[in-house]
Amino acid sequence: PEQPTTPPPSTITRVWVFMGDSLVLVGRRLAACGAARHAFSRQNNVGNATGASGGPVNPVKLKMFTAVKTVPRSGWGRTDLRGLGGMRFKWKVAFAVLVVGLIPLGVTLKLEGDRFEAYSRTGAENEVRNALALKGVAVEQYVESVVQAVGAIANLPDTARALEELDVAADALEKDMSIMPDMAALNARYDVQLERTENPAEGARERWIGGLDLMGRKLQHLYIATNPNELGQKQMLDDAGDGSEYSRLHAELHPVFRALMERYGFYDVFLIEPHQGRIIYTVYKEVDFATWLKDGPYADTLFAATARQMIESGGAEPYLFADFEAYEPSYNAQAFFMMVPVKRDDVLLGLLAVQ
């Protein structure tokens, strides 16, 4: 009856451990005295428990830890958590060490990222500069090759002869009343021109066809309006078959200039007489053929202005360029022109131009 109700403090060490959502107070047996064993059994109600062999469980033989008290998580108090202080401190230390290690790592990554970004941007800019420089060199080389090619063609005696003879033959064709233009066919061609031109100016069609004089209408009738080849293939006609001197010369010269155009990759080739700036010959036969550049329907173009400049100077410039612009005869596509003077004994006979 006088048995103690709790084990002596010296024989039991309180330890709190996690178990699910609760803290479990466990006792570890440190001494094997009878009084302590009896008190331990009474408090924990394990004296009558049975083991695997069916006999009572001897509390002395309980190994290491035996649950003696369970405290729900909601009941945790400051005093009850004294045993976790060490564990929490260890985690704090570990976290602090981790943070201290991550800060320089983050700074290093940021610096390296900025450096890589700057390097990438610099590399990209250098690539663009190099590409532009290479393209600039390529353009210069191309222009130089065009200047040399066109200059060589202009210096051929046949080019000077072609300009002189075609100019005279065009004047004769204007006076030949046996050849009259088919205005219905010509109007139909300009209807297509208006339809295919991107963003045409107001009144453009009337200006185009109204700006043609009799010579222009006759030449466009022969080599554009009644040309049997489909649009875009008008350059394939060598002789209109009208029996005129102009058509005879055209049949002789056209295959040569067409081959030159195709060889050098030009869009078109022009011969321009110096009196009115009339385009007396083209390879591709667009609607600028047989128009004049001093005050014709396309007199406001850079092409016409550049041609007038060279004519007025008497061909003093070795070559001139007309920069890119929307060009109506080519359906307002961007067009670039280069022209050189054609001379004999320093006398300007006309211009050779390429598009």
Side-chain angles (χ1 to χ4, degrees):
E2 301 301 323
Q3 295 281 352
T5 57
T6 57
S10 61
T11 63
I12 296 296
T13 299
R14 287 171 135 196
V15 179
W16 293 92
V17 298
F18 287 107
M19 186 168 297
D21 288 336
S22 302
L23 282 176
V24 179
L25 179 62
V26 300
R28 181 176 182 181
R29 175 180 164 279
L30 299 179
C33 65
R37 181 170 67 250
H38 177 74
F40 188 81
S41 300
R42 287 187 58 186
Q43 179 176 346
N44 295 289
N45 195 28
V46 298
N48 299 323
T50 57
S53 60
V57 176
N58 190 339
V60 176
K61 295 182 179 179
L62 291 176
K63 301 223 174 154
M64 298 303 293
F65 294 99
T66 303
V68 296
K69 186 176 180 180
T70 299
V71 180
R73 186 182 296 270
S74 59
W76 293 2
R78 187 174 184 85
T79 303
D80 296 331
L81 293 176
R82 286 176 303 172
L84 294 179
M87 184 178 296
R88 292 178 63 195
F89 179 74
K90 287 194 298 183
W91 283 111
K92 289 177 182 178
V93 171
F95 179 75
V97 171
L98 179 63
V99 169
V100 170
L102 286 177
I103 288 175
L105 176 62
V107 172
T108 302
L109 289 176
K110 179 65 169 63
L111 294 176
E112 288 298 314
D114 291 345
R115 188 171 68 86
F116 180 74
E117 180 183 358
Y119 176 78
S120 300
R121 181 170 56 250
T122 302
E125 290 173 353
N126 290 336
E127 287 185 10
V128 171
R129 292 192 189 97
N130 292 336
L132 288 175
L134 290 173
K135 286 187 177 293
V137 172
V139 170
E140 290 176 355
Q141 292 176 344
Y142 171 74
V143 170
E144 182 64 25
S145 68
V146 170
V147 169
Q148 292 178 358
V150 177
I153 297 170
N155 290 331
L156 293 174
D158 287 343
T159 304
R161 179 180 65 85
L163 258 169
E164 285 184 312
E165 293 182 357
L166 285 172
D167 189 13
V168 173
D171 289 336
L173 180 65
E174 183 178 21
K175 299 173 183 177
D176 187 353
M177 294 298 105
S178 65
I179 301 173
M180 297 302 294
D182 183 346
M183 293 306 297
L186 209 54
N187 276 294
R189 172 64 184 84
Y190 277 92
D191 288 339
V192 175
Q193 184 72 20
L194 181 65
E195 179 183 342
R196 297 192 178 188
T197 298
E198 183 178 359
N199 300 321
E202 185 177 354
R205 184 188 179 284
E206 291 71 22
R207 173 170 50 84
W208 297 336
I209 197 167
L212 293 174
D213 61 1
L214 181 58
M215 183 191 299
R217 290 195 294 270
K218 284 187 175 184
L219 286 172
Q220 289 199 6
H221 157 76
L222 291 173
Y223 288 93
I224 294 179
T226 59
N227 186 327
N229 295 289
E230 63 181 14
L231 201 60
Q233 296 295 320
K234 301 296 184 180
Q235 76 275 12
M236 300 311 297
L237 180 64
D238 293 337
D239 188 350
D242 60 297
S244 65
E245 179 64 12
Y246 182 90
S247 289
R248 185 192 69 79
L249 290 170
H250 189 280
E252 177 185 344
L253 298 170
H254 187 63
V256 177
F257 283 104
R258 182 174 60 214
L260 289 172
M261 182 188 78
E262 293 171 351
R263 176 182 177 182
Y264 290 103
F266 301 141
Y267 180 84
D268 206 352
V269 177
F270 306 79
L271 292 177
I272 304 169
E273 56 86 10
H275 310 298
Q276 293 180 300
R278 185 185 297 275
I279 302 172
I280 58 175
Y281 170 83
T282 72
V283 173
Y284 203 55
K285 298 299 186 294
E286 290 190 316
V287 293
D288 52 2
F289 171 55
T291 63
W292 64 100
L293 300 177
K294 285 192 174 181
D295 53 4
Y298 312 109
D300 292 335
T301 63
L302 287 176
F303 175 41
T306 306
R308 292 195 300 268
Q309 177 183 343
M310 181 165 280
I311 290 172
E312 290 167 2
S313 71
E317 305 89 349
Y319 57 85
L320 287 176
F321 294 107
D323 206 351
F324 281 100
E325 68 171 341
Y327 189 58
E328 286 181 322
S330 300
Y331 309 112
N332 268 345
Q334 292 292 314
F336 171 82
F337 298 87
M338 196 209 79
M339 58 194 68
V340 296
V342 179
K343 296 181 178 181
R344 182 187 296 126
D345 300 329
D346 290 330
V347 177
L348 182 66
L349 302 177
L351 311 180
L352 171 66
V354 295
Q355 179 179 349

Coordinates of all heavy atoms in Angstrom, one line a residue, residues 271-317:
L271 N 17.1 52.5 -124.7 CA 17.9 53.4 -125.5 C 17.1 54.7 -125.5 O 15.9 54.7 -125.9 CB 18.1 52.9 -126.9 CG 19.1 51.7 -127.0 CD1 19.2 51.2 -128.5 CD2 20.5 52.0 -126.5
I272 N 17.7 55.8 -125.2 CA 17.0 57.1 -125.1 C 17.6 58.1 -126.0 O 18.9 58.4 -125.9 CB 17.0 57.6 -123.6 CG1 16.4 56.5 -122.7 CG2 16.3 58.9 -123.4 CD1 16.7 56.8 -121.2
E273 N 16.8 58.7 -126.8 CA 17.4 59.8 -127.7 C 17.5 61.1 -127.0 O 16.8 61.3 -126.0 CB 16.6 59.9 -129.0 CG 15.1 60.2 -128.8 CD 14.8 61.7 -128.7 OE1 15.7 62.5 -128.9 OE2 13.7 62.0 -128.3
P274 N 18.4 62.0 -127.4 CA 18.7 63.2 -126.6 C 17.9 64.4 -126.9 O 18.1 65.4 -126.2 CB 20.2 63.5 -126.9 CG 20.3 63.0 -128.3 CD 19.4 61.8 -128.5
H275 N 17.0 64.4 -127.8 CA 16.2 65.6 -128.2 C 15.0 65.8 -127.2 O 14.9 66.9 -126.7 CB 15.8 65.5 -129.6 CG 16.9 65.1 -130.6 ND1 18.0 65.9 -130.7 CD2 17.1 64.0 -131.4 CE1 18.8 65.3 -131.6 NE2 18.3 64.2 -132.0
Q276 N 14.2 64.8 -127.2 CA 13.0 64.9 -126.2 C 13.2 64.0 -125.0 O 12.3 64.0 -124.2 CB 11.7 64.5 -127.0 CG 11.3 65.5 -128.1 CD 10.0 65.0 -128.7 OE1 10.0 64.0 -129.3 NE2 9.0 65.9 -128.7
G277 N 14.3 63.2 -125.1 CA 14.4 62.2 -124.0 C 13.4 61.1 -124.2 O 13.0 60.4 -123.3
R278 N 13.2 60.8 -125.5 CA 12.2 59.7 -125.8 C 12.9 58.3 -125.7 O 14.0 58.1 -126.1 CB 11.6 59.8 -127.2 CG 10.5 58.8 -127.5 CD 10.1 58.9 -129.0 NE 9.5 60.2 -129.3 CZ 8.2 60.5 -129.0 NH1 7.4 59.6 -128.5 NH2 7.7 61.7 -129.4
I279 N 12.2 57.4 -125.1 CA 12.6 56.0 -125.0 C 12.3 55.4 -126.3 O 11.2 54.9 -126.5 CB 12.0 55.3 -123.8 CG1 12.3 56.1 -122.5 CG2 12.5 53.9 -123.7 CD1 11.5 55.5 -121.3
I280 N 13.3 55.3 -127.2 CA 13.0 54.8 -128.5 C 13.1 53.2 -128.6 O 12.7 52.6 -129.6 CB 13.9 55.4 -129.6 CG1 15.3 55.2 -129.3 CG2 13.5 56.9 -129.7 CD1 16.3 55.7 -130.4
Y281 N 13.6 52.6 -127.6 CA 13.7 51.2 -127.6 C 13.8 50.7 -126.1 O 14.5 51.3 -125.2 CB 15.0 50.7 -128.3 CG 15.3 49.3 -128.1 CD1 14.7 48.3 -128.9 CD2 16.2 48.8 -127.1 CE1 14.9 46.9 -128.7 CE2 16.4 47.5 -126.9 CZ 15.8 46.5 -127.7 OH 16.0 45.2 -127.5
T282 N 13.1 49.6 -125.8 CA 13.3 48.8 -124.6 C 13.2 47.4 -124.9 O 12.7 47.0 -126.0 CB 12.2 49.1 -123.5 OG1 11.0 48.5 -124.0 CG2 12.0 50.6 -123.4
V283 N 13.8 46.5 -124.1 CA 13.7 45.1 -124.3 C 12.4 44.5 -123.8 O 11.7 43.8 -124.5 CB 14.9 44.4 -123.5 CG1 14.8 42.9 -123.6 CG2 16.2 44.8 -124.2
Y284 N 12.0 44.9 -122.6 CA 10.9 44.3 -121.9 C 9.5 44.8 -122.4 O 8.5 44.1 -122.2 CB 11.0 44.5 -120.4 CG 10.3 43.5 -119.6 CD1 10.5 42.1 -119.7 CD2 9.3 43.9 -118.6 CE1 9.9 41.2 -118.9 CE2 8.7 43.0 -117.8 CZ 8.9 41.6 -118.0 OH 8.3 40.7 -117.2
K285 N 9.5 45.9 -123.0 CA 8.2 46.5 -123.6 C 7.1 46.7 -122.6 O 6.0 46.2 -122.7 CB 7.7 45.6 -124.7 CG 8.7 45.4 -125.9 CD 9.0 46.8 -126.6 CE 9.8 46.6 -127.8 NZ 11.2 46.2 -127.6
E286 N 7.5 47.5 -121.5 CA 6.4 48.0 -120.6 C 5.9 49.3 -121.2 O 6.3 49.8 -122.3 CB 7.0 48.2 -119.2 CG 7.3 46.8 -118.5 CD 7.6 47.0 -117.1 OE1 8.4 47.9 -116.7 OE2 7.1 46.2 -116.3
V287 N 5.0 49.9 -120.5 CA 4.2 51.1 -121.0 C 5.1 52.3 -121.0 O 4.6 53.4 -121.5 CB 2.9 51.3 -120.3 CG1 1.9 50.1 -120.6 CG2 3.1 51.5 -118.8
D288 N 6.3 52.3 -120.5 CA 7.2 53.5 -120.7 C 7.8 53.5 -122.1 O 8.5 54.5 -122.5 CB 8.2 53.5 -119.6 CG 9.0 52.2 -119.4 OD1 8.8 51.3 -120.2 OD2 9.9 52.1 -118.5
F289 N 7.8 52.4 -122.8 CA 8.3 52.3 -124.2 C 7.6 53.4 -125.1 O 6.4 53.6 -125.1 CB 8.1 50.9 -124.8 CG 8.4 50.8 -126.2 CD1 9.6 51.1 -126.7 CD2 7.4 50.3 -127.1 CE1 9.9 51.0 -128.1 CE2 7.7 50.2 -128.5 CZ 9.0 50.5 -128.9
A290 N 8.5 54.1 -125.8 CA 8.1 55.2 -126.7 C 7.5 56.4 -126.1 O 7.0 57.3 -126.8 CB 7.0 54.6 -127.7
T291 N 7.6 56.5 -124.7 CA 7.3 57.8 -124.1 C 8.5 58.7 -124.0 O 9.6 58.2 -124.2 CB 6.7 57.6 -122.7 OG1 7.7 57.0 -121.8 CG2 5.5 56.6 -122.7
W292 N 8.3 60.0 -123.8 CA 9.5 60.9 -123.6 C 9.5 61.4 -122.2 O 8.5 61.6 -121.5 CB 9.4 62.0 -124.7 CG 8.2 63.0 -124.6 CD1 8.3 64.2 -124.0 CD2 6.9 62.8 -125.0 NE1 7.0 64.8 -124.1 CE2 6.2 63.9 -124.7 CE3 6.2 61.7 -125.7 CZ2 4.8 64.1 -125.0 CZ3 4.9 61.9 -126.0 CH2 4.2 63.0 -125.7
L293 N 10.8 61.6 -121.8 CA 11.1 61.8 -120.4 C 11.1 63.3 -120.0 O 11.2 63.7 -118.8 CB 12.4 61.1 -120.0 CG 12.4 59.6 -120.1 CD1 13.7 59.0 -119.8 CD2 11.3 59.0 -119.3
K294 N 11.1 64.2 -121.0 CA 11.1 65.6 -120.7 C 9.8 66.1 -120.2 O 9.8 66.9 -119.2 CB 11.5 66.4 -121.9 CG 13.0 66.3 -122.2 CD 13.5 67.3 -123.3 CE 15.0 67.2 -123.5 NZ 15.5 68.2 -124.5
D295 N 8.7 65.7 -120.8 CA 7.4 66.2 -120.3 C 6.3 65.1 -120.6 O 5.1 65.5 -120.7 CB 7.0 67.5 -120.9 CG 7.1 67.6 -122.4 OD1 7.4 66.5 -123.0 OD2 6.8 68.6 -123.0
G296 N 6.7 63.9 -120.6 CA 5.7 62.8 -120.9 C 5.0 62.3 -119.6 O 5.1 63.0 -118.6
P297 N 4.3 61.2 -119.7 CA 3.5 60.8 -118.6 C 4.3 60.4 -117.3 O 3.8 60.3 -116.2 CB 2.7 59.6 -119.1 CG 3.4 59.2 -120.3 CD 4.1 60.4 -120.9
Y298 N 5.6 60.1 -117.5 CA 6.4 59.6 -116.4 C 7.6 60.6 -116.2 O 8.6 60.3 -115.6 CB 7.0 58.2 -116.7 CG 5.9 57.3 -117.1 CD1 5.9 56.8 -118.4 CD2 4.9 56.9 -116.2 CE1 4.8 56.0 -118.9 CE2 3.9 56.0 -116.7 CZ 3.9 55.6 -118.0 OH 2.8 54.8 -118.4
A299 N 7.4 61.9 -116.5 CA 8.4 62.9 -116.4 C 8.7 63.3 -114.9 O 9.8 63.8 -114.7 CB 8.0 64.2 -117.1
D300 N 7.8 62.9 -114.0 CA 8.0 63.2 -112.6 C 8.8 62.2 -111.9 O 9.1 62.3 -110.7 CB 6.7 63.4 -111.9 CG 6.0 64.7 -112.4 OD1 6.6 65.6 -112.9 OD2 4.7 64.7 -112.3
T301 N 9.2 61.1 -112.5 CA 10.0 60.0 -111.9 C 11.5 60.4 -111.7 O 12.0 61.3 -112.4 CB 9.9 58.7 -112.7 OG1 10.5 58.9 -114.0 CG2 8.4 58.3 -112.9
L302 N 12.1 59.8 -110.8 CA 13.6 60.0 -110.6 C 14.3 59.5 -111.9 O 15.4 60.1 -112.2 CB 14.1 59.2 -109.4 CG 13.7 59.8 -108.0 CD1 14.2 58.9 -106.9 CD2 14.3 61.2 -107.8
F303 N 13.8 58.5 -112.5 CA 14.4 58.0 -113.7 C 14.4 59.1 -114.8 O 15.5 59.4 -115.4 CB 13.6 56.8 -114.2 CG 14.1 56.3 -115.6 CD1 15.4 56.2 -115.9 CD2 13.1 55.8 -116.5 CE1 15.8 55.6 -117.1 CE2 13.5 55.3 -117.7 CZ 14.9 55.2 -118.0
A304 N 13.3 59.8 -115.0 CA 13.2 60.9 -116.0 C 14.1 62.1 -115.6 O 14.8 62.6 -116.4 CB 11.8 61.3 -116.1
A305 N 14.1 62.4 -114.3 CA 14.9 63.5 -113.8 C 16.4 63.3 -114.0 O 17.2 64.2 -114.5 CB 14.6 63.8 -112.4
T306 N 16.8 62.0 -113.8 CA 18.2 61.7 -114.0 C 18.6 61.7 -115.4 O 19.7 62.2 -115.8 CB 18.5 60.3 -113.3 OG1 18.1 60.3 -112.0 CG2 20.0 60.0 -113.4
A307 N 17.7 61.2 -116.3 CA 18.0 61.2 -117.7 C 18.1 62.7 -118.2 O 19.0 63.0 -119.0 CB 16.9 60.5 -118.5
R308 N 17.2 63.5 -117.8 CA 17.3 64.9 -118.2 C 18.6 65.6 -117.7 O 19.2 66.4 -118.5 CB 16.1 65.7 -117.6 CG 14.8 65.3 -118.2 CD 13.7 66.3 -117.9 NE 13.5 66.5 -116.5 CZ 12.6 65.8 -115.8 NH1 11.8 64.9 -116.4 NH2 12.4 66.1 -114.5
Q309 N 19.1 65.2 -116.5 CA 20.3 65.8 -116.0 C 21.5 65.4 -116.9 O 22.3 66.2 -117.2 CB 20.6 65.3 -114.6 CG 21.9 65.7 -114.0 CD 22.1 65.1 -112.6 OE1 21.2 64.7 -111.9 NE2 23.4 65.1 -112.2
M310 N 21.5 64.1 -117.3 CA 22.6 63.7 -118.2 C 22.6 64.3 -119.6 O 23.6 64.7 -120.2 CB 22.7 62.2 -118.3 CG 23.8 61.6 -119.1 SD 24.1 59.8 -118.9 CE 25.0 59.9 -117.3
I311 N 21.3 64.4 -120.1 CA 21.2 65.1 -121.4 C 21.6 66.5 -121.4 O 22.3 67.0 -122.3 CB 19.7 64.9 -121.9 CG1 19.4 63.4 -122.2 CG2 19.5 65.8 -123.1 CD1 18.0 63.1 -122.5
E312 N 21.2 67.2 -120.3 CA 21.5 68.7 -120.2 C 23.0 68.9 -120.1 O 23.5 69.9 -120.5 CB 20.7 69.3 -119.1 CG 19.2 69.4 -119.3 CD 18.4 69.7 -118.1 OE1 19.1 69.9 -117.0 OE2 17.2 69.7 -118.2
S313 N 23.7 67.9 -119.4 CA 25.1 68.1 -119.3 C 25.9 67.6 -120.5 O 27.2 67.7 -120.5 CB 25.6 67.3 -118.0 OG 25.5 65.9 -118.3
G314 N 25.2 67.1 -121.5 CA 25.9 66.6 -122.7 C 26.6 65.3 -122.4 O 27.6 64.9 -123.1
G315 N 26.2 64.6 -121.4 CA 26.9 63.3 -121.0 C 28.2 63.5 -120.3 O 29.1 62.7 -120.5
A316 N 28.3 64.6 -119.6 CA 29.6 64.9 -118.9 C 29.9 63.8 -117.8 O 31.0 63.5 -117.5 CB 29.6 66.3 -118.3
E317 N 28.8 63.3 -117.2 CA 29.0 62.3 -116.1 C 29.3 60.9 -116.8 O 28.6 60.6 -117.8 CB 27.8 62.2 -115.3 CG 27.3 63.5 -114.6 CD 26.4 64.3 -115.5 OE1 26.2 63.9 -116.7 OE2 25.8 65.3 -115.0

